[in-house]
Amino acid sequence: MKNVWLVYYENAAKKNMAFIEGIIADGVARGLSIKLVYVHDIEIALKTEVPDAVIVRYINPLLSRKLALLGIKLINNADVSWMCNNKALTVKAANDKGIPHIPTVSISLDGNGYSFKKIYSPHDSKYNCLIADLCEEDIQRICTKELPKNISAHDYVIKSVCGHGGAEVMLLHDYIVNGFDIGTQEADAFDSYNEKYIIQPLMKEYNSDIRIYVMGNKIYKAVKRVPEQGFKSNFSLGGNVSLCEISKEMKALAEKVFSLGYFDYAGIDCLCSKDGHIILNEIEDVVGARMLTACNVDNYVNDYVKHIYNKLYNTEDIV
């Protein structure tokens, strides 16, 4: 019997107990010993046993790297966690593969202070011009929470590289004028990277987004999200969700994303324009499942554990 740890931060586990209990129960039915382990207990737990695999439900890429060095199989793997939990690295990887994405300015902080890099979208995007318009003076002003002089802060969005659920995404104007802090939601991950923030144009023509759920580098489901108000469509913030058909464009984009790594279970988040064109927004490594539940998809836990079983036993048999 394979020994599998389902690893969470304790505060996150409390919000996801139905999901956790479903995974553990389905594991038992398949002959997998799956138990919940909290991040803060891992060092002590490793002194008595080393699991065959860890189901990664935490956002801490350095921890994943440490576990990988012990020879533990990670679901998702450490390279995927490192890339996907940093929005700047995700955009850079997508850009290298020619995947359409939001034009982005990545802002880093190291011993020499702030530095930045502009990442233009590889497809013909008028929004590239808004990134080009961001001069070094304005970027330095933004880094010190001063309004830029040469562009309108209402036309841009700032995000922490590690945030999720829309909690650390806001208009650049609001971030500066209201003195908001971002980067505290996932502090362990935030401290792991030199990249700290990204700035992107407010994509006004893209009025909804689509999450493409993937499992084992195959498309599982697609859910369309439409914001109730404002520009953020996150379900946790009140966005409306519905299952949608998987288009040829979604399939093509997903196939390009699969070239970036192997995704056991993840969410490819895309912005969707009024005419149905999609571009990559981000990739969720520790992707939630509440939207699937809201869309009456009831078998995703069963399918996820089936995938884990098949991976651990190197079989594609349906168990």
Side-chain angles (χ1 to χ4, degrees):
M1 178 180 289
K2 297 290 186 181
N3 180 26
V4 181
W5 290 358
L6 177 59
V7 180
Y8 272 87
Y9 282 100
E10 186 173 4
N11 60 339
K14 292 176 180 178
K15 302 174 185 177
N16 292 279
M17 287 310 301
F19 183 64
I20 291 167
E21 290 168 358
I23 288 177
I24 292 173
D26 206 85
V28 169
R30 297 175 191 281
L32 294 175
S33 174
I34 302 177
K35 71 176 182 179
L36 175 63
V37 177
Y38 296 134
V39 169
H40 66 259
D41 291 330
I42 279 191
E43 286 191 16
I44 294 174
L46 284 171
K47 292 178 180 179
T48 57
E49 62 176 330
V50 176
D52 297 299
V54 163
I55 302 171
V56 176
R57 300 299 300 173
Y58 55 83
I59 298 177
N60 187 332
L62 285 182
L63 174 58
S64 286
R65 286 186 164 185
K66 291 175 183 177
L67 295 176
L69 289 174
L70 295 175
I72 300 169
K73 187 168 289 188
L74 301 179
I75 306 168
N76 290 317
N77 67 62
D79 290 338
V80 163
S81 292
W82 183 259
M83 176 184 67
C84 293
N85 289 306
N86 182 327
K87 293 177 174 61
L89 294 184
T90 302
V91 170
K92 174 64 167 57
N95 186 272
D96 290 344
K97 293 290 186 179
I99 300 171
H101 62 79
I102 305 172
T104 299
V105 176
S106 168
I107 298 178
S108 300
L109 176 63
D110 56 29
N112 297 317
Y114 286 99
S115 61
F116 69 92
K117 181 175 183 179
K118 295 183 178 182
I119 309 171
Y120 294 100
S121 177
H123 76 299
D124 184 17
S125 171
K126 72 177 186 180
Y127 293 102
N128 278 337
C129 296
L130 288 174
I131 293 301
D133 289 343
L134 264 172
C135 64
E136 183 171 358
E137 177 192 6
D138 281 340
I139 292 173
Q140 291 298 329
R141 289 180 66 86
I142 292 166
C143 289
T144 56
K145 289 193 175 180
E146 298 177 79
L147 284 170
K149 289 183 176 180
N150 303 292
I151 53 98
S152 171
H154 292 281
D155 293 333
Y156 296 83
V157 172
I158 188 168
K159 307 175 181 179
S160 123
V161 296
C162 301
H164 57 90
E168 294 191 331
V169 176
M170 62 197 69
L171 287 174
L172 181 58
H173 176 272
D174 295 346
Y175 167 73
I176 295 170
V177 171
N178 296 318
F180 290 131
D181 286 322
I182 57 176
T184 58
Q185 186 181 22
E186 296 294 343
D188 288 338
F190 191 77
D191 291 342
S192 302
Y193 299 109
N194 286 333
E195 300 87 359
K196 299 300 181 186
Y197 315 105
I198 59 173
I199 299 171
Q200 297 174 323
L202 180 60
M203 308 291 283
K204 296 178 182 179
E205 294 176 9
Y206 292 77
N207 61 340
S208 63
D209 79 355
I210 291 172
R211 171 168 289 173
I212 304 170
Y213 284 90
V214 299
M215 202 174 288
N217 272 20
K218 296 177 182 178
I219 294 178
Y220 181 66
K221 300 287 182 183
V223 175
K224 187 172 185 177
R225 307 184 290 189
V226 179
E228 283 196 339
Q229 59 182 358
F231 67 93
K232 293 188 283 188
S233 57
N234 304 78
F235 183 55
S236 59
L237 300 179
N240 298 304
V241 300
S242 60
L243 285 177
C244 61
E245 290 188 15
I246 298 165
S247 68
K248 291 182 179 179
E249 192 174 8
M250 288 184 214
K251 290 179 181 178
L253 187 143
E255 285 299 323
K256 289 182 178 179
V257 169
F258 295 155
S259 72
L260 302 179
Y262 185 82
F263 301 89
D264 290 294
Y265 177 51
I268 303 171
D269 288 352
C270 309
L271 296 187
C272 184
S273 67
K274 295 174 183 178
D275 61 3
H277 177 61
I278 61 172
I279 59 174
L280 179 67
N281 181 13
E282 62 184 347
I283 306 171
E284 289 282 354
D285 169 37
V286 185
V287 66
R290 291 184 180 88
M291 291 195 302
L292 293 176
T293 300
C295 293
N296 298 313
V297 178
D298 299 324
N299 59 337
Y300 59 86
V301 170
N302 178 282
D303 292 336
Y304 184 32
V305 178
K306 182 195 302 181
H307 165 74
I308 293 168
Y309 179 95
N310 290 339
K311 180 170 182 172
L312 294 181
Y313 286 97
N314 297 310
T315 177
E316 289 302 319
D317 295 337
I318 298 176
V319 178

